[in-house]
Amino acid sequence: RCRTFFGRADVISSLSQLAAVGRGGGVRCVHGTSGAGKTSAMSVLAVSGKKQHYHTVVFRACGTSVSSSSAMGLMSSICRQLELRFGIERSSPTVDFDDQVSYFHQCLNLAT
């Protein structure tokens, strides 16, 4: 999506400033109406973050795939990214929602 993104320098600048403030941990949420360009803007920011050598960029566009359409799928996907990035070894797959939430928080704590 970021290949076809153009304009909106003010939005990208604001998001970049928020990302810089969030170094060392933090969550940001971008919301708006359908078709407003949220996914495209965040894609540009994620690529920019990697180029600026942020330690880790975790980006998910909720609802754009089967695995991102449920809380369990999103948490599993983010945990897998953090496991690979930080060498976290998972003892067993998580199938219970409450266990997944707990493991998700463990991964976030290890990553910050």
XYZ file of all heavy atoms in Angstrom:
829
model
N 0.808 -1.200 0.000
C 0.000 0.000 0.000
C 0.848 1.259 0.000
O 0.407 2.291 -0.441
C -0.933 0.018 1.203
C -2.031 -1.004 1.092
C -3.041 -0.779 2.184
N -4.051 -1.793 2.121
C -5.292 -1.578 1.710
N -5.669 -0.393 1.359
N -6.151 -2.549 1.685
N 2.055 1.176 0.545
C 2.845 2.395 0.636
C 3.462 2.785 -0.707
O 3.864 3.926 -0.873
C 3.909 2.271 1.721
S 5.086 0.963 1.488
N 3.496 1.869 -1.668
C 4.058 2.216 -2.984
C 3.205 3.223 -3.714
O 3.698 4.004 -4.517
C 4.199 0.960 -3.843
C 5.284 0.053 -3.378
C 5.459 -1.111 -4.322
N 6.325 -2.088 -3.696
C 6.277 -3.368 -3.905
N 5.399 -3.866 -4.750
N 7.094 -4.186 -3.302
N 1.890 3.184 -3.471
C 0.986 4.089 -4.175
C 0.543 5.256 -3.308
O -0.304 6.038 -3.713
C -0.269 3.322 -4.651
O -0.920 2.751 -3.507
C 0.098 2.234 -5.629
N 1.131 5.397 -2.137
C 0.746 6.474 -1.218
C 1.419 7.771 -1.641
O 2.607 7.807 -1.925
C 1.166 6.110 0.211
C 0.649 7.065 1.246
C -0.608 6.896 1.781
C 1.424 8.119 1.685
C -1.097 7.759 2.742
C 0.953 8.986 2.656
C -0.310 8.802 3.178
N 0.665 8.831 -1.678
C 1.249 10.136 -1.987
C 0.492 11.208 -1.222
O -0.641 11.013 -0.804
C 1.217 10.415 -3.497
C -0.160 10.450 -4.077
C -0.860 11.645 -4.190
C -0.773 9.282 -4.509
C -2.138 11.672 -4.720
C -2.047 9.298 -5.045
C -2.729 10.489 -5.155
N 1.164 12.324 -1.025
C 0.542 13.425 -0.298
C 0.452 13.129 1.184
O 1.127 12.273 1.716
N -0.389 13.879 1.863
C -0.652 13.699 3.287
C 0.610 13.771 4.137
O 0.755 13.076 5.129
C -1.374 12.378 3.558
C -2.611 12.102 2.718
C -3.792 13.008 3.018
N -4.234 12.954 4.379
C -5.190 12.173 4.850
N -5.819 11.367 4.047
N -5.528 12.225 6.114
N 1.546 14.624 3.743
C 2.797 14.777 4.490
C 2.519 15.187 5.933
O 3.241 14.773 6.844
C 3.700 15.798 3.813
N 1.444 15.965 6.153
C 1.103 16.384 7.515
C 0.721 15.187 8.380
O 1.114 15.094 9.552
C -0.030 17.407 7.485
C -1.286 16.911 6.762
O -1.155 16.056 5.842
O -2.386 17.365 7.107
N -0.001 14.237 7.815
C -0.414 13.037 8.559
C 0.809 12.187 8.887
O 0.986 11.744 10.028
C -1.448 12.217 7.749
C -1.722 10.879 8.416
C -2.729 13.014 7.570
N 1.663 11.976 7.895
C 2.866 11.164 8.110
C 3.770 11.829 9.139
O 4.328 11.158 10.012
C 3.625 10.937 6.780
C 2.740 10.148 5.805
C 4.934 10.221 7.017
C 2.308 8.780 6.313
N 3.908 13.132 9.091
C 4.732 13.854 10.056
C 4.193 13.684 11.475
O 4.942 13.407 12.410
C 4.799 15.336 9.685
O 5.513 16.045 10.655
N 2.879 13.843 11.635
C 2.264 13.679 12.958
C 2.442 12.260 13.483
O 2.783 12.043 14.654
C 0.769 14.005 12.897
O 0.578 15.357 12.610
N 2.221 11.271 12.623
C 2.386 9.872 13.034
C 3.844 9.566 13.376
O 4.117 8.848 14.334
C 1.887 8.933 11.934
C 0.383 8.920 11.696
C 0.038 8.119 10.446
C -0.354 8.383 12.905
N 4.767 10.131 12.621
C 6.193 9.923 12.902
C 6.577 10.486 14.262
O 7.346 9.883 15.009
C 7.057 10.560 11.819
O 6.868 9.914 10.592
N 6.036 11.656 14.587
C 6.315 12.257 15.893
C 5.752 11.398 17.020
O 6.393 11.198 18.039
C 5.750 13.672 15.964
C 6.505 14.647 15.107
C 5.846 16.017 15.052
O 4.810 16.252 15.664
N 6.444 16.924 14.299
N 4.555 10.866 16.838
C 3.966 9.984 17.845
C 4.795 8.718 18.014
O 4.993 8.240 19.126
C 2.531 9.603 17.460
C 1.469 10.646 17.706
C 0.138 10.195 17.103
C 1.313 10.922 19.186
N 5.285 8.179 16.913
C 6.101 6.964 16.985
C 7.405 7.238 17.716
O 7.854 6.417 18.518
C 6.381 6.431 15.575
N 8.004 8.384 17.469
C 9.265 8.727 18.135
C 9.065 8.885 19.631
O 9.883 8.444 20.425
C 9.853 10.003 17.532
N 7.952 9.475 20.034
C 7.648 9.637 21.450
C 7.441 8.275 22.096
O 7.784 8.066 23.244
C 6.381 10.521 21.632
C 5.894 10.483 23.064
C 6.682 11.946 21.204
N 6.920 7.322 21.335
C 6.612 6.003 21.868
C 7.788 5.058 21.953
O 7.620 3.916 22.330
N 8.979 5.486 21.613
C 10.135 4.585 21.707
C 10.259 4.060 23.123
O 10.060 4.781 24.088
C 11.414 5.301 21.305
C 11.506 5.530 19.825
C 12.853 6.105 19.467
N 12.816 6.497 18.075
C 13.774 7.132 17.471
N 14.868 7.466 18.123
N 13.677 7.439 16.207
N 10.622 2.806 23.226
C 10.749 2.202 24.540
C 9.445 1.584 25.007
O 9.318 1.189 26.138
N 8.502 1.495 24.136
C 7.232 0.866 24.475
C 6.084 1.830 24.324
O 6.224 3.027 24.513
N 5.000 1.322 23.935
C 3.814 2.138 23.802
C 2.954 1.625 22.677
O 3.423 0.943 21.787
N 1.698 1.950 22.740
C 0.734 1.512 21.740
C 0.077 2.737 21.145
O -0.266 3.673 21.862
C -0.330 0.591 22.376
C -1.405 0.226 21.371
C 0.322 -0.650 22.958
N -0.087 2.726 19.866
C -0.771 3.811 19.174
C -1.897 3.208 18.362
O -1.761 2.110 17.827
C 0.176 4.555 18.216
C 1.413 5.135 18.877
C 1.033 6.287 19.792
N 2.206 6.875 20.378
C 2.620 6.634 21.616
N 1.981 5.796 22.376
N 3.685 7.221 22.101
N -2.993 3.914 18.252
C -4.146 3.459 17.478
C -4.525 4.548 16.490
O -4.683 5.703 16.869
C -5.307 3.148 18.412
S -6.819 2.698 17.541
N -4.660 4.172 15.238
C -5.123 5.094 14.209
C -6.506 4.618 13.786
O -6.686 3.449 13.457
C -4.165 5.104 13.002
C -4.718 5.954 11.874
C -2.793 5.584 13.427
N -7.481 5.501 13.838
C -8.834 5.116 13.453
C -9.439 6.193 12.581
O -8.992 7.337 12.570
C -9.707 4.853 14.693
C -9.858 6.053 15.575
N -10.893 6.946 15.417
C -9.102 6.516 16.597
C -10.772 7.905 16.317
N -9.692 7.671 17.047
N -10.430 5.818 11.828
C -11.112 6.760 10.958
C -12.110 6.025 10.087
O -12.276 4.814 10.195
N -12.734 6.754 9.205
C -13.751 6.159 8.341
C -13.104 5.266 7.283
O -11.917 5.403 6.967
C -14.577 7.261 7.644
O -13.689 8.073 6.874
C -15.312 8.119 8.651
N -13.903 4.375 6.765
C -13.449 3.468 5.720
C -12.973 4.263 4.503
O -13.622 5.207 4.082
C -14.609 2.549 5.325
O -14.215 1.674 4.303
N -11.803 3.892 4.007
C -11.272 4.550 2.819
C -10.513 5.835 3.082
O -10.087 6.516 2.149
N -10.316 6.169 4.348
C -9.643 7.423 4.686
C -8.129 7.361 4.476
O -7.471 8.392 4.470
C -9.942 7.806 6.137
N -7.580 6.157 4.317
C -6.141 6.026 4.089
C -5.358 5.578 5.309
O -4.133 5.731 5.348
N -6.032 5.018 6.298
C -5.363 4.588 7.542
C -4.290 3.531 7.270
O -3.152 3.665 7.709
C -6.384 4.023 8.539
C -7.489 4.980 8.934
C -8.531 4.311 9.804
C -9.278 3.190 9.118
N -10.174 3.567 8.044
N -4.660 2.489 6.540
C -3.721 1.398 6.272
C -2.547 1.892 5.445
O -1.390 1.555 5.731
C -4.440 0.236 5.561
O -5.501 -0.229 6.392
C -3.484 -0.904 5.271
N -2.813 2.704 4.459
C -1.734 3.234 3.625
C -0.781 4.103 4.423
O 0.442 3.977 4.313
C -2.309 4.042 2.456
O -3.069 3.216 1.617
N -1.328 4.976 5.245
C -0.482 5.863 6.056
C 0.359 5.052 7.035
O 1.552 5.308 7.205
C -1.340 6.882 6.806
N -0.235 4.055 7.665
C 0.511 3.236 8.616
C 1.558 2.373 7.917
O 2.624 2.103 8.477
C -0.442 2.376 9.440
C -1.300 3.198 10.396
S -0.344 4.286 11.488
C 0.618 3.101 12.404
N 1.277 1.942 6.703
C 2.270 1.191 5.930
C 3.491 2.051 5.653
O 4.630 1.600 5.793
C 1.662 0.694 4.612
O 0.634 -0.223 4.857
N 3.247 3.292 5.270
C 4.353 4.227 5.034
C 5.137 4.433 6.323
O 6.374 4.412 6.329
C 3.831 5.577 4.483
C 4.909 6.642 4.495
C 3.284 5.393 3.080
N 4.443 4.601 7.435
C 5.111 4.812 8.716
C 5.923 3.583 9.125
O 7.044 3.717 9.618
C 4.085 5.148 9.800
C 4.667 5.489 11.156
C 5.504 6.760 11.082
C 3.562 5.644 12.178
N 5.390 2.389 8.917
C 6.119 1.163 9.271
C 7.407 1.039 8.467
O 8.466 0.726 9.015
C 5.231 -0.057 9.054
N 7.332 1.296 7.177
C 8.534 1.241 6.332
C 9.520 2.317 6.758
O 10.721 2.073 6.869
C 8.154 1.388 4.833
C 9.391 1.593 3.980
C 7.376 0.161 4.381
N 9.014 3.509 7.034
C 9.862 4.610 7.494
C 10.542 4.257 8.810
O 11.724 4.539 9.015
C 9.012 5.870 7.658
O 9.744 6.891 8.266
N 9.800 3.631 9.722
C 10.363 3.236 11.011
C 11.501 2.263 10.858
O 12.528 2.359 11.542
N 11.361 1.318 9.955
C 12.446 0.358 9.711
C 13.672 1.075 9.146
O 14.796 0.772 9.519
C 11.984 -0.734 8.751
C 11.057 -1.729 9.393
C 10.686 -2.824 8.424
C 9.766 -3.826 9.075
N 9.408 -4.909 8.168
N 13.448 2.031 8.265
C 14.564 2.774 7.681
C 15.254 3.655 8.710
O 16.440 3.929 8.606
C 14.075 3.628 6.502
C 13.710 2.822 5.290
C 13.228 3.714 4.169
C 12.826 2.897 2.963
N 12.275 3.721 1.881
N 14.492 4.124 9.721
C 15.068 4.976 10.757
C 15.666 4.151 11.892
O 16.043 4.685 12.921
C 13.990 5.921 11.307
C 13.534 6.937 10.284
C 12.452 7.840 10.839
O 12.355 8.058 12.029
N 11.614 8.364 9.959
N 15.698 2.841 11.699
C 16.343 1.925 12.644
C 15.674 1.877 14.004
O 16.332 1.741 15.018
C 17.835 2.248 12.795
C 18.547 2.310 11.493
N 18.788 1.199 10.727
C 19.031 3.354 10.802
C 19.410 1.565 9.616
N 19.569 2.863 9.634
N 14.344 2.024 14.016
C 13.647 1.728 15.264
C 13.940 0.270 15.559
O 14.099 -0.535 14.661
C 12.139 1.917 15.128
C 11.690 3.356 14.959
C 10.406 3.647 14.554
C 12.538 4.424 15.203
C 9.970 4.951 14.401
C 12.126 5.730 15.062
C 10.842 5.981 14.657
O 10.416 7.264 14.507
N 13.999 -0.094 16.791
C 14.366 -1.457 17.138
C 13.404 -2.481 16.549
O 13.815 -3.447 15.948
C 14.456 -1.619 18.654
C 15.576 -0.819 19.231
N 16.888 -1.190 19.097
C 15.580 0.341 19.906
C 17.653 -0.298 19.680
N 16.884 0.649 20.181
N 12.137 -2.278 16.725
C 11.137 -3.217 16.210
C 9.876 -2.451 15.847
O 9.421 -1.610 16.603
C 10.776 -4.282 17.275
O 11.951 -4.956 17.664
C 9.768 -5.284 16.731
N 9.342 -2.761 14.688
C 8.082 -2.166 14.259
C 7.067 -3.296 14.170
O 7.267 -4.271 13.459
C 8.213 -1.475 12.882
C 6.859 -0.984 12.392
C 9.212 -0.340 12.944
N 5.993 -3.178 14.934
C 4.900 -4.149 14.893
C 3.699 -3.423 14.314
O 3.217 -2.457 14.895
C 4.569 -4.702 16.301
C 3.375 -5.644 16.234
C 5.776 -5.393 16.902
N 3.246 -3.893 13.170
C 2.131 -3.239 12.482
C 1.159 -4.307 12.009
O 1.559 -5.273 11.378
C 2.658 -2.434 11.283
C 1.584 -1.986 10.333
C 0.645 -1.047 10.727
C 1.520 -2.490 9.054
C -0.351 -0.635 9.851
C 0.529 -2.081 8.171
C -0.406 -1.152 8.572
N -0.086 -4.140 12.344
C -1.135 -5.021 11.858
C -2.302 -4.161 11.391
O -2.720 -3.251 12.094
C -1.643 -5.975 12.943
C -0.634 -6.979 13.455
C -0.196 -7.941 12.364
N 0.718 -8.945 12.850
C 2.019 -8.769 13.069
N 2.575 -7.585 12.866
N 2.779 -9.755 13.477
N -2.816 -4.476 10.225
C -4.022 -3.834 9.713
C -5.179 -4.756 10.066
O -5.374 -5.792 9.437
C -3.918 -3.613 8.214
N -5.910 -4.411 11.085
C -6.979 -5.277 11.617
C -8.093 -5.468 10.593
O -8.563 -4.514 9.993
C -7.553 -4.682 12.893
S -6.318 -4.440 14.165
N -8.470 -6.720 10.423
C -9.584 -7.047 9.553
C -9.252 -7.156 8.083
O -10.141 -7.338 7.261
N -7.982 -7.077 7.713
C -7.621 -7.151 6.295
C -7.261 -8.567 5.862
O -7.016 -8.801 4.685
C -6.444 -6.207 5.968
O -5.328 -6.578 6.764
C -6.820 -4.762 6.229
N -7.209 -9.504 6.815
C -6.951 -10.911 6.490
C -7.706 -11.764 7.501
O -8.189 -11.274 8.521
C -5.453 -11.220 6.556
O -5.001 -11.155 7.896
N -7.781 -13.057 7.224
C -8.480 -13.958 8.144
C -7.832 -13.930 9.523
O -8.511 -13.846 10.543
C -8.496 -15.395 7.570
C -9.068 -16.371 8.586
C -9.294 -15.443 6.276
N -6.494 -13.963 9.562
C -5.815 -14.016 10.862
C -5.887 -12.695 11.624
O -5.694 -12.664 12.828
C -4.356 -14.448 10.700
O -3.642 -13.475 9.986
N -6.179 -11.601 10.931
C -6.269 -10.318 11.635
C -7.704 -9.925 11.945
O -7.964 -8.815 12.384
C -5.601 -9.211 10.811
O -6.390 -8.871 9.687
N -8.626 -10.852 11.732
C -10.039 -10.556 11.969
C -10.519 -10.981 13.349
O -11.668 -10.741 13.698
C -10.901 -11.231 10.899
O -10.606 -10.674 9.635
N -9.647 -11.620 14.117
C -10.026 -12.012 15.473
C -8.929 -11.591 16.442
O -7.756 -11.502 16.070
C -10.229 -13.529 15.567
O -8.986 -14.203 15.494
N -9.313 -11.360 17.680
C -8.334 -10.978 18.705
C -7.291 -12.073 18.886
O -6.096 -11.796 19.018
C -9.041 -10.687 20.018
N -7.725 -13.320 18.868
C -6.811 -14.454 19.035
C -5.788 -14.492 17.893
O -4.594 -14.656 18.133
C -7.614 -15.756 19.086
C -6.812 -16.955 19.462
S -6.576 -17.003 21.236
C -6.253 -18.727 21.453
N -6.260 -14.315 16.669
C -5.367 -14.322 15.516
C -4.361 -13.183 15.553
O -3.178 -13.365 15.258
N -4.824 -11.989 15.920
C -3.929 -10.831 16.017
C -2.857 -11.042 17.080
O -1.671 -10.817 16.836
C -4.717 -9.560 16.334
C -5.443 -8.917 15.175
C -6.405 -7.852 15.680
C -4.467 -8.324 14.193
N -3.280 -11.484 18.259
C -2.305 -11.698 19.332
C -1.305 -12.783 18.962
O -0.107 -12.634 19.197
C -3.018 -12.065 20.640
C -3.721 -10.894 21.282
S -4.399 -11.283 22.910
C -5.719 -12.397 22.478
N -1.780 -13.860 18.347
C -0.879 -14.940 17.936
C 0.154 -14.441 16.933
O 1.340 -14.763 17.029
C -1.675 -16.097 17.320
O -2.495 -16.705 18.270
N -0.305 -13.657 15.979
C 0.585 -13.130 14.944
C 1.632 -12.187 15.530
O 2.819 -12.252 15.186
C -0.256 -12.408 13.890
O 0.553 -11.758 12.956
N 1.210 -11.303 16.415
C 2.155 -10.370 17.040
C 3.137 -11.122 17.922
O 4.347 -10.860 17.890
C 1.401 -9.280 17.832
C 0.637 -8.371 16.855
C 2.362 -8.455 18.688
C -0.338 -7.431 17.523
N 2.634 -12.099 18.685
C 3.529 -12.897 19.525
C 4.565 -13.622 18.670
O 5.747 -13.672 19.030
C 2.739 -13.917 20.354
S 1.806 -13.175 21.708
N 4.141 -14.164 17.552
C 5.083 -14.882 16.669
C 6.172 -13.929 16.164
O 7.346 -14.288 16.116
C 4.330 -15.524 15.502
C 5.205 -16.334 14.607
C 5.727 -17.558 15.341
N 6.683 -18.255 14.498
C 7.802 -18.794 14.937
N 8.120 -18.755 16.213
N 8.608 -19.391 14.107
N 5.792 -12.721 15.786
C 6.786 -11.741 15.333
C 7.773 -11.434 16.448
O 8.980 -11.380 16.229
C 6.113 -10.449 14.867
C 7.118 -9.411 14.391
C 6.474 -8.126 13.906
O 5.257 -8.047 13.712
N 7.275 -7.092 13.722
N 7.273 -11.230 17.658
C 8.154 -10.919 18.788
C 9.013 -12.115 19.178
O 10.177 -11.944 19.552
C 7.330 -10.420 19.976
C 6.586 -9.099 19.729
C 5.703 -8.748 20.918
C 7.556 -7.972 19.411
N 8.469 -13.327 19.070
C 9.265 -14.538 19.336
C 10.460 -14.598 18.394
O 11.597 -14.843 18.831
C 8.410 -15.797 19.133
C 7.370 -16.033 20.177
C 6.368 -17.104 19.786
O 6.387 -17.608 18.639
O 5.536 -17.432 20.647
N 10.203 -14.375 17.125
C 11.289 -14.423 16.127
C 12.292 -13.298 16.348
O 13.500 -13.514 16.275
C 10.704 -14.351 14.713
C 9.882 -15.558 14.277
C 9.175 -15.269 12.961
C 10.763 -16.793 14.158
N 11.805 -12.101 16.628
C 12.685 -10.936 16.777
C 13.553 -11.014 18.027
O 14.716 -10.648 18.009
C 11.830 -9.665 16.792
C 12.550 -8.378 17.175
C 13.649 -8.026 16.182
N 14.284 -6.788 16.516
C 15.314 -6.647 17.358
N 15.811 -7.710 17.967
N 15.844 -5.467 17.595
N 12.990 -11.513 19.127
C 13.706 -11.491 20.396
C 14.149 -12.869 20.881
O 14.623 -13.008 22.002
C 12.848 -10.804 21.474
C 12.622 -9.353 21.194
C 11.429 -8.918 20.651
C 13.624 -8.420 21.432
C 11.224 -7.570 20.366
C 13.426 -7.076 21.153
C 12.231 -6.654 20.619
N 14.001 -13.879 20.037
C 14.459 -15.211 20.403
C 13.676 -15.824 21.556
O 14.223 -16.591 22.345
N 12.406 -15.508 21.638
C 11.553 -16.064 22.691
C 11.153 -17.475 22.276
O 10.698 -17.691 21.153
C 10.284 -15.200 22.887
C 10.661 -13.765 23.259
C 9.361 -15.819 23.932
C 9.501 -12.781 23.183
N 11.331 -18.420 23.177
C 10.935 -19.795 22.880
C 9.619 -20.111 23.565
O 9.520 -20.052 24.787
C 12.015 -20.772 23.330
C 13.278 -20.634 22.495
C 14.232 -21.777 22.724
O 13.765 -22.905 22.995
O 15.435 -21.538 22.627
N 8.635 -20.421 22.773
C 7.308 -20.750 23.300
C 7.289 -22.222 23.693
O 7.688 -23.076 22.917
C 6.276 -20.471 22.221
C 4.862 -20.800 22.613
C 3.923 -20.543 21.460
N 3.002 -19.493 21.847
C 2.181 -18.913 21.014
N 2.177 -19.227 19.753
N 1.363 -17.976 21.436
N 6.840 -22.499 24.897
C 6.846 -23.876 25.378
C 5.770 -24.729 24.705
O 6.005 -25.880 24.396
C 6.673 -23.917 26.901
O 5.473 -23.267 27.264
N 4.596 -24.149 24.465
C 3.527 -24.890 23.788
C 2.555 -23.901 23.164
O 2.426 -22.774 23.629
C 2.801 -25.800 24.774
O 2.183 -25.030 25.782
N 1.874 -24.326 22.109
C 0.897 -23.439 21.475
C -0.226 -23.068 22.445
O -0.603 -23.858 23.305
C 0.333 -24.269 20.320
C 1.279 -25.397 20.143
C 1.962 -25.612 21.456
N -0.741 -21.867 22.302
C -1.812 -21.386 23.158
C -3.138 -21.517 22.415
O -3.268 -21.008 21.304
C -1.574 -19.918 23.534
O -0.273 -19.801 24.089
C -2.574 -19.426 24.539
N -4.091 -22.201 23.034
C -5.396 -22.365 22.393
C -6.508 -21.700 23.180
O -7.571 -21.427 22.645
C -5.739 -23.863 22.162
C -4.810 -24.466 21.132
C -5.692 -24.636 23.453
N -6.282 -21.424 24.444
C -7.268 -20.773 25.296
C -7.092 -19.257 25.218
O -5.961 -18.756 25.271
C -7.077 -21.257 26.746
C -8.017 -20.567 27.705
O -9.224 -20.891 27.675
O -7.536 -19.707 28.474
N -8.187 -18.524 25.102
C -8.114 -17.073 24.949
C -7.409 -16.399 26.124
O -6.528 -15.552 25.925
C -9.515 -16.467 24.759
C -9.478 -14.989 24.494
C -9.162 -14.501 23.235
C -9.743 -14.078 25.503
C -9.114 -13.141 22.980
C -9.700 -12.718 25.260
C -9.391 -12.252 23.995
N -7.772 -16.758 27.353
C -7.149 -16.142 28.530
C -5.647 -16.431 28.577
O -4.854 -15.556 28.941
C -7.827 -16.611 29.820
C -9.238 -16.058 29.966
O -9.521 -14.986 29.397
O -10.053 -16.707 30.640
N -5.259 -17.647 28.212
C -3.835 -17.990 28.158
C -3.117 -17.171 27.086
O -1.984 -16.741 27.272
C -3.633 -19.482 27.885
C -4.020 -20.354 29.061
O -4.141 -19.828 30.195
O -4.209 -21.570 28.846
N -3.804 -16.941 25.952
C -3.212 -16.153 24.872
C -3.006 -14.715 25.310
O -1.977 -14.110 25.023
C -4.081 -16.193 23.613
C -3.504 -15.419 22.441
C -2.190 -15.995 21.950
O -2.100 -17.171 21.651
N -1.165 -15.172 21.861
N -3.982 -14.155 26.013
C -3.855 -12.784 26.519
C -2.665 -12.688 27.462
O -1.848 -11.763 27.375
C -5.152 -12.311 27.215
C -4.940 -10.993 27.941
C -6.284 -12.184 26.211
N -2.533 -13.647 28.359
C -1.408 -13.666 29.301
C -0.081 -13.776 28.567
O 0.873 -13.043 28.861
C -1.585 -14.835 30.276
O -0.487 -14.920 31.142
N -0.013 -14.671 27.583
C 1.224 -14.845 26.809
C 1.534 -13.593 25.990
O 2.695 -13.191 25.869
C 1.113 -16.073 25.904
C 2.385 -16.345 25.151
C 3.535 -16.747 25.833
C 2.454 -16.189 23.780
C 4.722 -16.973 25.151
C 3.625 -16.426 23.095
C 4.755 -16.807 23.783
O 5.931 -17.032 23.108
N 0.513 -12.966 25.452
C 0.672 -11.725 24.694
C 1.341 -10.658 25.560
O 2.296 -10.005 25.143
C -0.708 -11.267 24.208
C -0.713 -9.966 23.447
C -0.163 -9.885 22.188
C -1.295 -8.832 23.995
C -0.178 -8.693 21.472
C -1.326 -7.642 23.295
C -0.762 -7.576 22.031
N 0.868 -10.518 26.788
C 1.465 -9.533 27.713
C 2.908 -9.912 28.056
O 3.765 -9.021 28.158
C 0.619 -9.403 28.980
C -0.644 -8.631 28.755
N -0.699 -7.267 28.751
C -1.902 -9.056 28.492
C -1.933 -6.863 28.506
N -2.676 -7.939 28.338
N 3.192 -11.178 28.211
C 4.573 -11.625 28.463
C 5.479 -11.231 27.311
O 6.587 -10.734 27.524
C 4.616 -13.142 28.656
C 4.016 -13.638 29.941
C 3.982 -15.159 29.984
O 4.725 -15.834 29.281
N 3.092 -15.696 30.805
N 5.009 -11.475 26.088
C 5.820 -11.116 24.906
C 6.059 -9.613 24.841
O 7.181 -9.176 24.559
C 5.125 -11.591 23.627
S 5.185 -13.360 23.367
N 5.014 -8.832 25.095
C 5.176 -7.376 25.068
C 6.167 -6.917 26.133
O 6.996 -6.038 25.877
C 3.829 -6.678 25.276
C 2.825 -6.802 24.139
C 1.521 -6.116 24.509
C 3.364 -6.249 22.836
N 6.097 -7.498 27.321
C 7.032 -7.130 28.395
C 8.470 -7.495 28.042
O 9.397 -6.732 28.337
C 6.624 -7.792 29.712
C 5.419 -7.137 30.340
O 5.170 -5.959 30.137
N 4.647 -7.911 31.071
N 8.661 -8.630 27.397
C 10.009 -9.024 27.002
C 10.559 -8.145 25.880
O 11.764 -7.962 25.751
C 10.017 -10.492 26.555
C 9.817 -11.509 27.665
C 9.600 -12.903 27.066
C 11.018 -11.523 28.612
N 9.652 -7.565 25.098
C 10.073 -6.752 23.961
C 10.332 -5.303 24.323
O 10.911 -4.555 23.530
C 9.002 -6.811 22.867
N 9.938 -4.864 25.521
C 10.117 -3.454 25.867
C 11.145 -3.272 26.954
O 11.606 -4.173 27.577
C 8.793 -2.818 26.346
O 8.261 -3.572 27.427
C 7.794 -2.756 25.217
